[in-house]
Amino acid sequence: MQKIKNLACLLMFSLVLFSCGEYQKVLNKGTTEEQYKMAVKLYESNKFSKALRLFEKITPTYRGKPQMERIQFMVAQSNFNEKNYSMSGYYFDRFAKNYPKSSKLEEAAFLSAYSYKLASPRFSLDPKETNKALDAFQGFINTYPDSDKIEEANLHYKELRYKLQKKYFEIAKTYYRTAEYDLRNYKAAIQAFDNLLADYLGSEFKEEALYYRLKAAHDFVLKSYDRRKLERIKDAIDAYDKLKRNYPESQFMEDSNKMLATLQNEQVRIDALIAKQVEVQNSKKK
């Protein structure tokens, strides 16, 4: 029994060596046709990394020939299966553009978008791939509204959109949190919250963004010189009105009402101060 096991292991090892030797021989010295046939064979055997090396070698020769359509799709799929998602997104997109009449056009369009989504990093990092995925899914949804993949595409699109919203919401909150040390960040926070609310209508972060928008404007008033306060008080009260109009039962309303009272008291104080200054100036003119 042990001899049989040893013989089987030896046979398997020999097959592996022969397979590797045959691959290296075809890769380095094989004809283009031999390389093409082996690349397809490796692809169909799920040996995508080796297949890609051969596809890379034969692509210049087959460019413009009928086989190129199949090669491009296999290159894209191989990169996808090897988890080279940025590359597979690029190659599926290129396939869709190069072969608009292909029977695999819809599949390639979906896989391009999905690849970019898989390449998309967590929300706090560069959103380049996330934006690519959003654009690609939007294109797929518009082009294939009756696709059996449309429900999945819409779900992916929603997830990506949420990721970007979260990114910009957290950026705005960071401006607010650091404004205590750099007063310019109050303006940056206010602008960032305004941009988020304008760019993502119906955002999942809308209520909280409106609240923090109010907080930033409120705190900015309290940190400002008196001569700059009236305009900023108006802006802060407008922010309060917008929150209350959209979310009259907001979880933040109690704190928001306190901020409104502070703003109104400050407005009364500033109005009285201005009135007194006007009175003094008028008395000097007499």
Side-chain angles (χ1 to χ4, degrees), residues 118-135:
L118 293 175
S120 172
R122 56 194 176 91
F123 75 89
S124 58
L125 299 178
D126 187 344
K128 180 180 176 182
E129 299 295 337
T130 306
N131 283 315
K132 280 185 184 178
L134 267 175
D135 290 343

Side-chain angles (χ1 to χ4, degrees), residues 8-270:
C9 288
L10 182 61
L11 181 61
M12 183 68 70
F13 182 68
S14 298
L15 286 171
V16 170
L17 280 178
F18 175 76
S19 175
C20 290
E22 183 186 13
Y23 169 74
Q24 289 296 332
K25 181 180 177 181
V26 171
L27 177 67
N28 295 320
K29 297 181 180 179
T31 65
T32 302
E33 186 178 353
E34 288 172 338
Q35 290 171 343
Y36 172 74
K37 287 180 179 179
M38 177 164 277
V40 173
K41 181 180 177 182
L42 289 167
Y43 174 85
E44 291 173 347
S45 301
N46 297 331
K47 296 177 180 177
F48 302 110
S49 180
K50 286 185 174 181
L52 279 169
R53 291 186 67 190
L54 286 165
F55 284 134
E56 184 180 345
K57 289 202 75 170
I58 65 176
T59 291
T61 303
Y62 281 99
R63 190 170 284 119
K65 296 181 179 179
Q67 296 94 326
M68 195 58 204
E69 179 179 342
R70 188 183 182 197
I71 290 170
Q72 263 201 17
F73 191 88
M74 288 190 290
V75 166
Q77 188 67 62
S78 296
N79 274 291
F80 182 86
N81 292 335
E82 285 293 297
K83 299 183 179 180
N84 303 324
Y85 296 124
S86 290
M87 294 297 291
S88 64
Y90 167 76
Y91 280 115
F92 278 124
D93 180 53
R94 199 165 85 173
F95 175 89
K97 289 173 179 173
N98 289 344
Y99 303 100
K101 295 182 180 180
S102 171
S103 61
K104 290 184 173 291
L105 182 62
E106 181 181 329
E107 182 182 0
F110 179 84
L111 287 173
S112 176
Y114 187 47
S115 294
Y116 286 133
K117 185 195 175 191
L118 293 175
S120 172
R122 56 194 176 91
F123 75 89
S124 58
L125 299 178
D126 187 344
K128 180 180 176 182
E129 299 295 337
T130 306
N131 283 315
K132 280 185 184 178
L134 267 175
D135 290 343
F137 274 119
Q138 186 64 72
F140 180 86
I141 292 164
N142 292 341
T143 307
Y144 304 102
D146 299 319
S147 170
D148 59 1
K149 290 281 191 181
I150 199 67
E151 187 175 340
E152 185 180 350
N154 279 313
L155 180 61
H156 289 314
Y157 183 86
K158 186 177 180 181
E159 290 173 356
L160 289 160
R161 191 172 182 270
Y162 179 87
K163 181 187 282 191
L164 280 183
Q165 289 177 62
K166 185 172 178 61
K167 177 181 182 65
Y168 297 126
F169 177 69
E170 292 299 333
I171 287 172
K173 279 178 70 175
T174 298
Y175 279 129
Y176 170 71
R177 288 168 179 157
T178 57
E180 184 178 351
Y181 311 103
D182 186 346
L183 296 184
R184 293 172 298 180
N185 283 352
Y186 282 121
K187 280 187 176 182
I190 289 167
Q191 186 62 59
F193 284 121
D194 284 344
N195 290 343
L196 171 66
L197 293 165
D199 292 342
Y200 296 95
L201 301 176
S203 168
E204 291 91 335
F205 295 94
K206 184 174 181 179
E207 181 181 353
E208 198 171 354
L210 286 170
Y211 169 68
Y212 274 100
R213 169 47 169 103
L214 168 59
K215 278 179 72 71
H218 166 271
D219 293 1
F220 194 30
V221 167
L222 299 184
K223 297 284 187 178
S224 300
Y225 293 113
D226 285 347
R227 61 188 173 82
R228 305 297 300 273
K229 281 188 175 181
L230 271 184
E231 181 183 350
R232 291 171 184 174
I233 288 171
K234 181 182 182 304
D235 177 69
I237 291 176
D238 286 345
Y240 169 87
D241 289 340
K242 192 170 183 179
L243 172 63
K244 188 171 184 179
R245 184 169 61 253
N246 283 274
Y247 300 97
E249 304 298 326
S250 172
Q251 60 179 314
F252 305 114
M253 195 49 66
E254 183 178 351
D255 189 37
S256 298
N257 286 334
K258 291 177 182 177
M259 286 190 279
L260 176 64
T262 300
L263 292 166
Q264 289 172 332
N265 289 337
E266 194 66 8
Q267 187 170 30
V268 169
R269 186 184 72 81
I270 297 297

